[in-house]
Amino acid sequence: MTLTTSGGQRLLWLLLAACLAALPASAQTPDDEFRAVLAELREASFSDKESIADKLIATSHMSARPVLTALLEDRLFVRSQDQQIFIVSSTEESRTQYELIDPVSLSRAGSAPVDELTKIGTNNRLRRFLRITIARGALANPDPDVRRAAVRELLRSLDASAIELLRQRKTEETDARVLYEIDTALALATLDDGDAAARVAAVQTLSERLSPEVRNRLAALIERNDDGSFAESDEGVRVAAAAAIETIDTARSLYSGVETLFFGLSLGSVLVLVAIGLAITFGVMGVINMAHGELMMLGAYTTYVVQTALPGYIEWSVLIAVPAAFLVAGLAGVLIERTIIRFLYGRPLETLLATFGVSLILQQLVRTVFSANNRSVITPSWMSGTLPINDALSITYNRLYIVIFSLIVFGLLLAVLKRTRLGLDIRAVSQNRAMARAMGIRSEWVDAMTFGLGAGIAGVAGVALSQLTNVGPNLGQSYIIDSFMVVVFGGVGNLWGTLIGGISLGVINKLLEPYAGAVLGKILVLVVLILFIQRRPRGLFPQTGRAAEAA
Amino acid sequence: MSSPGRSNGTRSVRRSWRELREAAKRRAPPPLLGKILYLEKLTVSFDGFKALNGLTLYVDPGELRCIIGPNGAGKTTMMDVITGKTRPDEGSAWFGQDVDLLSLTEPEIAQAGIGRKFQKPTVFEFLSVFENLELALAGDKTFWRTLVARLTPAHRERIAEVLHIIGLVAEQGVVAGALSHGQKQWLEIGMLLMQQPELLLVDEPVAGMTPQETERTAELLLSLAGKHTVIVVEHDMDFVRSIAGQVTVLHEGRVLAEGDMDRVQNDPQVIEVYLGA
Amino acid sequence: MSAIAGRLPLSFSDRESLWFLSILAVIAIAVPILNLAVPPSSPLHVSTYVLTLVGKYLCYAMLAIAVDLIWGFCGILSLGHAAFFALGGYAMGMYLMRQIGTRGVYGHPVLPDFMVFLNWTDLPWFWYGFDRFWFAMLMVAVVPAVLAYVFGWLAFRSRVTGVYLSIMTQALSYALMLAFFRNDMGFGGNNGFTDFKDILGFDLQQDTTRSVLLVVTVAALAASYCVCRAIVASRAGRVIRAIRDAESRTRFLGYRVESYKLWVFVFSAVVAGVAGALYVPQVGIINPSEFEPINSIEVVIWVAVGGRGTLFGAAAGAALVNYAKTYFTAALPEVWLYALGAIFVGVTLFLPRGLAGLMPAASRGK
Ligand SMILES: Nc1ncnc2c1ncn2[C@@H]1O[C@H](COP(=O)(O)OP(=O)(O)OP(=O)(O)O)[C@@H](O)[C@H]1O
Ligand SMILES: [Mg+2]
């Protein structure tokens, strides 16, 4: 789902985007001039290439940096047939065709078989030169994120010229986050050449950092060489380094705990999302809807259909799919209720069987219409990627959005039940059908609406699931047991119970996983749940009163 | 989803053996001698609402006691406590001198000799009248015993006798679900008779009966008193007057008045909260 | 008494049992003869495929009877009986695996192939004894019984009922499925057991062996039918039905409901386990997918189709639905799930008492 791109490439795209943003107006130099300089690269020696690179920069053409970055990353090629130079978007080994990008306009230029392309080579010296040249440009960029990324890139292989560049930048830099990175880099540099006191100070600066590079560097200080002497000669520095490593490790394990909790939270909110519709039909109506999973599946397929029908709106597709899925699944729910469920009120075990039949039919229907294969649903770019909190903790956007989304759905549902007329009717009918009817509530209509509401929410959950798992005919089955567990655990007929039950199950699951492994963890959770139900047969928040007993 | 279970809204169903023993110590058998039922300071609350509020009640052996009181006074709840369906928050309940009702489960209480007829008639709808009575038959009720149990001639005779008493001889083969409301009431009374309990708790026996049937029920209950102890809950004042010796009036979970019918009927408080002017 | 019983919708007359047992007897005699004695050229010949198929249906019928006892009579909708079936099957499978001996691919005298493949050196302790037939047969009954006892003891004592119980049984069988899928559990992971060679020294590929297995299955089915029937016809059976209809009322009559449920549940699990044990040598494979929750639900629908609370109806329903499944999955594979789904919906809506409910009262021996 997420685009798996290496850090370097990500940086590249950032740079590229920044260049595009920064230099649009200065592209007055004719493209031809740029192209001519570029053409020289074909036969140049390594040292010539350095000067060509300088010349390219001197043109201030907007494509200069992307081209140099491509050269640095071995992605600049000459096409054999016409000796044209192209940037290649990716050189993954599995590819037999490379996607070509025109180096001047940066637009797509078709593709070519791998063996018809010749790479423009580099050596270490040239690469160092290119890196510094590119970084220098990036460090002057007005966007602090670009500058920060540039520092981090430099930090990976510090040499004298890089250090010099950073020192220089430090005097001008105003952004605290960029300064922070520069300090890290300079402190790392100090470890190599400062005096003992400076090294201790550098270690102290580094003890506040979290990145694995820093930790490894510090760990190297207290290691012994082969001859038994310490890698770091000064005792004081070693002591400081050991203390710093401990500080870093504590902080890192704290953050990994936070990360586990967040994973648990996001799994939990998925569980809440898939269970909450069930909580309505099961808890409020006493109907065991085994087709709940398949209604989610319908929601997920709705997302697919929306994306197929509106290929130009992929970024919006998920947002469009939410109401669409609500309608599709909700209508399906109303249909099921009107044709089947309404004859089975008060007989929960029978509703279980009948809706199970419905689930089989829906699965097969999807197989007939869409084939048995999984469909690929695209993740909009705003939902992919990660939100870095710090070096030890970053949060993927899709997880974050799912948490927010399920809280919104939960809140809306609660509002519908508590604040609207429909909600009042639903609660009235669920508590005393005959009485509600006597009060003039059209219980038939309320039943259909309630079931439709539960089904619609299942559809909405399906949209979310389409971003997390494969969209296929079996999507529903894999969640149905979990969602029943959540409802039973939380206590039937209590939405808050579903929320707390779902989140705690998610967190427990993720907490167990590191020790027991995913499958065993799941088994453990099921066993714990079975035992829990023995203790509290009606869940965390049991319904009370005589109505509950007679239920 | 399930048939009504023991209400556990107030506290956990199971208690350890130790807890039970501790509790039993706290509820030492009452000092008063010679009663068959001792209810002392019983309090039951449902989400803060007190259905019973310090109820104290004693019943003599062989007595026919009527309990009256407005809707929601806690009459049914009291029976729930006696039969183990509901656990009180406080108080004690003893059956005779040595049976601590609060430490027993429903079947144990039934085995100890307390039978109950429910307010809403509950019989086994898919079993025949005959089989309903057979199941109520006193005797060993463990699984392995009932697996091999046979009806002895004495048992058959007893069933026939009860069928006669409750007037369902012709319907003995009919599934109980097909009976009328009144017939179900009778069947449940019949099941109570089969159990031969020492103490009978009868919740609103004549609701849904014709005047003649009501009269017959009154006769039946009167004939039982003496040999058995009977506690009857009823709203039908004529019926109560026709059978009662002692009457207890419950109100808001506690005893409002107690005494013979005339005294109770002239009690100003009772008139105010229940009987009306 | 029997005159009374005759007027009840859900009771037995001996005529039904007689019919049922006679049909079983005919199957037990005719199918092996038509398979072994009639030459393959004859139109009357029963192929080995059909023989195995009939054996499979009979195992399913037994499983259906087990579910009917607990659901139809006691009102406990167990969605975990496929697990008991599979456990019995695994116990039998372990015996059959150890019978392979040195004839396996790796030729190890003690370890089954999959263990050699996983580089195990010793037999896990829970495989001890399974080289003996009597021990394996004991485990076929004991393992499901112990699981049912422990689960039932916990569940019934805390009065987990109705849908909650169904969902818990489903979770139980789901957890077992996940566990058996794991390689390090020592049950062959997702491949399970297969490639069996012989049972008690008789070659499993031989038609005679298969015929004997069929006869044994018929006998087991008949026996479980008779025992179940005896149980439901006893007073305990009436208590069980009373529990189904009004559980707490039964308590107030002095019956310890949990112990009734527990014993019936355990017995039902044992029947399911035995059915699974007979199933494995006939179909030649057992793997974790037998634990799948959908299997348990399918069993319930067989019972519902045949008519719950009748025993013979459950058996007939199992055979019928599975015949339909065999037919459709071969002829019109896409249609099968539609059909099965429609059966689920149709039976619950229109045939609450199943096909047995359609039988005229007269034929049920008034
Ligand atoms: N399980 C329960 N949960 C919540 N409230 C309960 C429960 N059982 C009883 N109550 C409440 O306790 C109060 C006493 O009920 P109870 O049934 O004992 O009254 P009653 O005297 O039998 O009334 P009636 O004459 O109408 O039968 C009522 O207000 C009732 O709503
Ligand atoms: Mg009452």
Side-chain angles (χ1 to χ4, degrees):
Chain A
M1 280 157 312
T2 47
L3 289 164
T4 44
T5 38
S6 72
Q9 226 172 317
R10 186 169 294 280
L11 170 73
L12 173 86
W13 289 114
L14 259 171
L15 290 177
L16 192 147
C19 297
L20 289 176
L23 299 168
S26 62
Q28 297 143 349
T29 323
D31 288 351
D32 297 338
E33 183 195 340
F34 185 76
R35 209 178 281 280
V37 180
L38 190 61
E40 294 173 25
L41 268 180
R42 282 196 300 252
E43 273 115 32
S45 69
F46 288 130
S47 53
D48 285 345
K49 283 176 185 162
E50 272 180 38
S51 58
I52 298 171
D54 272 338
K55 271 197 259 173
L56 284 174
I57 293 282
T59 60
S60 9
H61 191 278
M62 67 171 223
S63 303
R65 278 186 195 100
V67 166
L68 293 184
T69 314
L71 178 60
L72 174 63
E73 296 186 348
D74 288 340
R75 291 190 296 106
L76 207 57
F77 285 79
V78 179
R79 183 156 71 189
S80 317
Q81 69 192 67
D82 54 5
Q83 293 296 301
Q84 282 259 49
I85 295 180
F86 285 100
I87 299 176
V88 160
S89 66
S90 158
T91 51
E92 271 173 40
E93 273 185 36
S94 58
R95 290 173 186 251
T96 51
Q97 289 264 329
Y98 283 160
E99 304 279 325
L100 303 181
I101 296 170
D102 182 81
V104 179
S105 67
L106 297 183
S107 53
R108 283 175 190 245
S111 60
V114 175
D115 41 9
E116 286 179 21
L117 294 169
T118 321
K119 186 164 73 187
I120 299 181
T122 53
N123 65 1
N124 275 343
R125 208 188 115 93
L126 177 59
R127 276 199 291 276
R128 211 172 304 132
F129 175 81
L130 286 171
R131 191 176 295 123
I132 295 295
T133 310
I134 295 167
R136 183 175 292 124
L139 281 179
N141 193 291
D143 181 353
D145 279 340
V146 176
R147 297 205 297 275
R148 200 161 148 259
V151 178
R152 292 175 72 114
E153 178 62 22
L154 281 176
L155 187 150
R156 288 219 242 137
S157 53
L158 283 170
D159 54 23
S161 52
I163 293 167
E164 189 43 46
L165 183 59
L166 289 172
R167 286 233 167 85
Q168 215 180 325
R169 184 66 214 168
K170 188 177 172 175
T171 57
E172 309 157 16
E173 183 56 63
T174 50
D175 187 87
R177 278 152 47 94
V178 180
L179 273 175
Y180 180 90
E181 297 293 343
I182 293 179
D183 282 342
T184 312
L186 292 180
L188 280 173
T190 310
L191 288 184
D192 292 326
D193 54 11
D195 60 22
R199 292 209 300 276
V200 171
V203 167
Q204 248 131 35
T205 311
L206 292 177
S207 72
E208 289 155 24
R209 308 303 196 248
L210 294 163
S211 75
E213 287 99 353
V214 169
R215 192 202 176 277
N216 292 343
R217 184 69 188 86
L218 289 175
L221 288 182
I222 53 174
E223 259 163 26
R224 283 170 193 267
N225 294 330
D226 294 338
D227 56 7
S229 65
F230 280 102
E232 163 63 53
S233 54
D234 189 89
E235 168 84 45
V237 177
R238 286 203 304 271
V239 171
I245 289 174
E246 219 180 287
T247 317
I248 294 177
D249 284 349
T250 317
R252 283 186 72 87
S253 66
L254 179 77
Y255 283 114
S256 89
V258 172
E259 186 171 47
T260 312
L261 274 185
F262 178 72
F263 283 168
L265 187 68
S266 74
L267 174 65
S269 46
V270 172
L271 289 178
V272 170
L273 203 54
V274 298
I276 194 165
L278 203 65
I280 301 249
T281 43
F282 187 16
V284 178
M285 310 177 74
V287 169
I288 313 304
N289 184 11
M290 293 298 272
H292 185 77
E294 279 60 38
L295 291 167
M296 296 197 287
M297 174 195 75
L298 284 188
Y301 273 96
T302 307
T303 318
Y304 168 74
V305 171
V306 166
Q307 290 192 345
T308 320
L310 304 169
Y313 297 85
I314 294 296
E315 294 298 298
W316 294 97
S317 60
V318 175
L319 296 181
I320 302 171
V322 169
F326 184 85
L327 283 181
V328 169
L331 285 178
V334 171
L335 197 70
I336 296 171
E337 199 279 337
R338 282 293 84 188
T339 51
I340 297 169
I341 307 282
R342 71 174 166 137
F343 303 106
L344 298 173
Y345 282 113
R347 290 153 63 196
L349 295 180
E350 269 85 350
T351 60
L352 188 156
L353 294 178
T355 50
F356 187 79
V358 173
S359 82
L360 294 181
I361 294 174
L362 285 176
Q363 275 174 36
Q364 191 59 29
L365 194 69
V366 161
R367 280 197 195 98
T368 312
V369 177
F370 294 99
S371 98
N373 299 330
N374 289 341
R375 302 280 107 178
S376 66
V377 169
I378 306 163
T379 305
S381 60
W382 53 272
M383 275 191 75
S384 48
T386 56
L387 172 69
I389 306 288
N390 57 37
D391 284 318
L393 177 65
S394 52
I395 288 174
T396 52
Y397 278 116
N398 60 356
R399 286 182 197 271
L400 188 63
Y401 285 128
I402 295 269
V403 173
I404 297 171
F405 183 66
S406 56
L407 287 180
I408 293 176
V409 172
F410 180 82
L412 282 179
L413 187 62
L414 212 58
V416 166
L417 286 182
K418 291 265 142 89
R419 294 278 155 81
T420 65
R421 180 62 213 248
L422 175 67
L424 187 66
D425 290 353
I426 289 176
R427 284 182 290 146
V429 171
S430 79
Q431 279 165 26
N432 191 332
R433 174 170 301 266
M435 190 63 184
R437 208 183 264 196
M439 304 286 291
I441 295 172
R442 286 159 55 206
S443 67
E444 301 242 308
W445 183 80
V446 173
D447 285 336
M449 284 301 113
T450 315
F451 201 82
L453 183 65
I457 291 170
V460 170
V463 178
L465 288 185
S466 75
Q467 300 298 315
L468 297 177
T469 50
N470 298 326
V471 176
N474 295 331
L475 176 133
Q477 278 186 329
S478 37
Y479 281 92
I480 188 77
I481 293 193
D482 285 335
S483 24
F484 271 116
M485 288 298 125
V486 171
V487 177
V488 169
F489 178 58
V492 169
N494 188 320
L495 283 188
W496 288 102
T498 309
L499 181 73
I500 291 170
I503 300 235
S504 20
L505 280 187
V507 171
I508 294 171
N509 226 321
K510 286 292 171 189
L511 287 182
L512 280 179
E513 235 168 57
Y515 306 102
V519 178
L520 207 60
K522 192 152 187 171
I523 297 172
L524 276 179
V525 169
L526 284 176
V527 170
V528 166
L529 250 171
I530 292 176
L531 290 177
F532 172 84
I533 291 298
Q534 328 283 349
R535 285 248 131 229
R536 307 202 51 158
R538 285 170 187 277
L540 275 180
F541 300 97
Q543 264 181 327
T544 49
R546 288 191 168 163
E549 282 179 29
Chain B
M1 254 153 277
S2 63
S3 48
R6 173 163 37 176
S7 147
N8 52 11
T10 45
R11 75 169 48 168
S12 138
V13 177
R14 267 167 291 109
R15 288 183 292 174
S16 72
W17 180 78
R18 188 202 214 103
E19 266 178 324
L20 287 174
R21 204 182 48 172
E22 296 285 304
K25 260 195 219 145
R26 268 185 276 116
R27 300 188 303 259
L32 214 63
L33 287 181
K35 304 283 178 189
I36 192 167
L37 186 70
Y38 303 83
L39 303 180
E40 290 186 335
K41 303 200 183 85
L42 284 178
T43 300
V44 171
S45 50
F46 296 107
D47 299 328
F49 168 78
K50 288 196 167 147
L52 289 185
N53 192 0
L55 173 81
T56 299
L57 183 75
Y58 304 103
V59 179
D60 286 323
E63 194 185 339
L64 173 62
R65 171 75 63 99
C66 281
I67 312 244
I68 60 173
N71 295 120
K75 306 181 293 291
T76 302
T77 307
M78 180 192 80
M79 294 199 165
D80 288 348
V81 171
I82 298 174
T83 51
K85 186 173 181 221
T86 301
R87 296 282 165 192
D89 303 308
E90 277 168 46
S92 62
W94 284 79
F95 181 44
Q97 287 291 310
D98 38 38
V99 181
D100 177 6
L101 293 173
L102 301 189
S103 67
L104 301 182
T105 62
E106 301 101 310
E108 284 165 344
I109 292 173
Q111 300 264 9
I114 298 183
R116 173 175 185 183
K117 188 201 106 38
F118 286 81
Q119 180 166 356
K120 181 171 162 252
T122 25
V123 294
F124 304 116
E125 310 243 326
F126 287 95
L127 298 180
S128 71
V129 170
F130 186 96
E131 287 171 326
N132 266 281
L133 294 178
E134 181 198 349
L135 290 194
L137 202 62
D140 192 336
K141 294 186 169 174
T142 58
F143 176 74
W144 300 104
R145 274 310 175 82
T146 51
L147 204 54
V148 292
R150 291 273 168 275
L151 279 177
T152 61
H155 289 151
R156 283 180 192 285
E157 220 163 89
R158 175 72 191 143
I159 293 177
E161 194 183 329
V162 169
L163 279 172
H164 187 75
I165 295 176
I166 61 177
L168 293 176
V169 177
E171 287 84 4
Q172 59 171 299
V174 172
V175 280
L179 297 180
S180 72
H181 182 82
Q183 285 175 318
K184 282 185 192 165
Q185 294 270 50
W186 277 111
L187 176 56
E188 212 182 352
I189 293 172
M191 289 162 75
L192 208 51
L193 297 179
M194 294 299 305
Q195 270 181 282
Q196 301 271 26
E198 255 179 276
L199 172 65
L200 287 82
L201 306 175
V202 192
D203 203 346
E204 308 202 5
V206 298
M209 285 189 179
T210 61
Q212 291 84 346
E213 283 181 319
T214 305
E215 208 171 297
R216 256 176 62 209
T217 311
E219 274 168 32
L220 179 67
L221 291 178
L222 278 172
S223 75
L224 288 172
K227 251 190 298 166
H228 308 263
T229 311
V230 184
I231 301 181
V232 182
V233 166
E234 223 353 298
H235 286 292
D236 182 336
M237 291 313 290
D238 293 331
F239 174 77
V240 171
R241 188 174 299 108
S242 67
I243 60 170
Q246 289 276 305
V247 176
T248 301
V249 186
L250 288 195
H251 177 56
E252 290 179 349
R254 51 163 31 124
V255 175
L256 187 71
E258 205 166 78
D260 57 34
M261 195 64 195
D262 290 334
R263 219 186 98 196
V264 166
Q265 262 184 320
N266 295 321
D267 188 309
Q269 272 185 304
V270 176
I271 293 175
E272 186 189 326
V273 303
Y274 185 45
L275 298 174
Chain C
M1 187 55 218
S2 69
I4 296 162
R7 290 164 67 179
L8 295 173
L10 292 178
S11 61
F12 291 91
S13 68
D14 277 321
R15 201 183 296 177
E16 279 159 9
S17 304
L18 223 58
W19 266 108
F20 182 68
L21 295 174
S22 324
I23 292 175
L24 287 186
V26 169
I27 293 176
I29 296 166
V31 175
I33 290 181
L34 294 180
N35 174 252
L36 296 173
V38 178
S41 53
S42 154
L44 285 177
H45 175 76
V46 167
S47 67
T48 309
Y49 170 75
V50 173
L51 179 84
T52 309
L53 211 58
V54 172
K56 210 165 104 173
Y57 293 169
L58 291 169
C59 294
Y60 287 149
M62 212 166 140
L63 176 58
I65 282 184
V67 170
D68 193 22
L69 180 68
I70 194 77
W71 181 43
F73 291 92
C74 203
I76 298 171
L77 177 56
S78 162
L79 298 182
H81 262 58
F84 299 127
F85 183 81
L87 285 175
Y90 264 95
M92 174 61 106
M94 285 162 85
Y95 164 75
L96 295 174
M97 286 305 268
R98 301 230 27 204
Q99 289 305 298
I100 296 175
T102 52
R103 285 168 292 176
V105 177
Y106 296 104
H108 195 287
V110 179
L111 296 190
D113 277 347
F114 72 88
M115 290 188 193
V116 183
F117 185 75
L118 291 173
N119 292 325
W120 291 12
T121 49
D122 301 307
L123 197 67
W125 61 267
F126 48 83
W127 275 76
Y128 292 162
F130 277 93
D131 48 342
R132 292 195 194 108
F133 186 71
W134 67 265
F135 181 79
M137 289 311 99
L138 194 65
M139 288 302 123
V140 160
V142 167
V143 173
V146 167
L147 180 67
Y149 188 89
V150 172
F151 180 85
W153 188 76
L154 286 166
F156 301 139
R157 193 185 55 146
S158 14
R159 306 198 178 166
V160 181
T161 49
V163 172
Y164 289 84
L165 193 82
S166 305
I167 292 173
M168 294 329 289
T169 52
Q170 190 176 23
L172 176 76
S173 102
Y174 186 62
L176 280 172
M177 177 182 83
L178 292 179
F180 273 76
F181 264 122
R182 288 168 59 90
N183 273 329
D184 50 8
M185 276 286 290
F187 296 107
N190 54 354
N191 296 323
F193 307 146
T194 187
D195 285 335
F196 308 127
K197 303 285 187 242
D198 50 26
I199 183 168
L200 285 172
F202 298 102
D203 185 355
L204 276 171
Q205 304 309 319
Q206 288 285 315
D207 281 355
T208 40
T209 313
R210 286 171 173 268
S211 295
V212 171
L213 275 173
L214 182 92
V215 174
V216 171
T217 310
V218 170
L221 176 58
S224 4
Y225 175 81
C226 292
V227 176
C228 287
R229 196 190 167 289
I231 291 178
V232 299
S234 72
R235 185 181 299 167
R238 287 189 280 284
V239 176
I240 290 166
R241 277 188 282 154
I243 292 172
R244 175 191 67 192
D245 298 335
E247 176 169 332
S248 80
R249 187 71 182 89
T250 322
R251 282 207 179 91
F252 292 114
L253 285 184
Y255 293 100
R256 294 192 43 211
V257 166
E258 16 323 301
S259 102
Y260 277 81
K261 285 182 172 181
L262 186 58
W263 290 118
V264 177
F265 192 58
V266 168
F267 177 72
S268 163
V270 170
V271 173
V274 173
L278 290 165
Y279 175 83
V280 168
Q282 300 189 67
V283 300
I285 184 167
I286 173 87
N287 62 34
S289 64
E290 293 295 336
F291 285 99
E292 270 184 31
I294 181 174
N295 292 347
S296 294
I297 302 187
E298 265 188 48
V299 182
V300 172
I301 209 63
W302 305 340
V303 176
V305 165
R308 56 189 278 212
T310 59
L311 295 180
F312 69 91
L320 209 68
V321 176
N322 279 294
Y323 176 73
K325 182 176 190 168
T326 312
Y327 173 79
F328 273 117
T329 43
L332 301 159
E334 305 83 40
V335 177
W336 168 239
L337 278 185
Y338 287 124
L340 187 62
I343 294 176
F344 270 97
V345 176
V347 166
T348 37
L349 282 187
F350 306 115
L351 273 183
R353 280 168 50 208
L355 293 177
L358 290 182
M359 279 163 58
S363 81
R364 290 192 287 118
K366 182 143 190 166

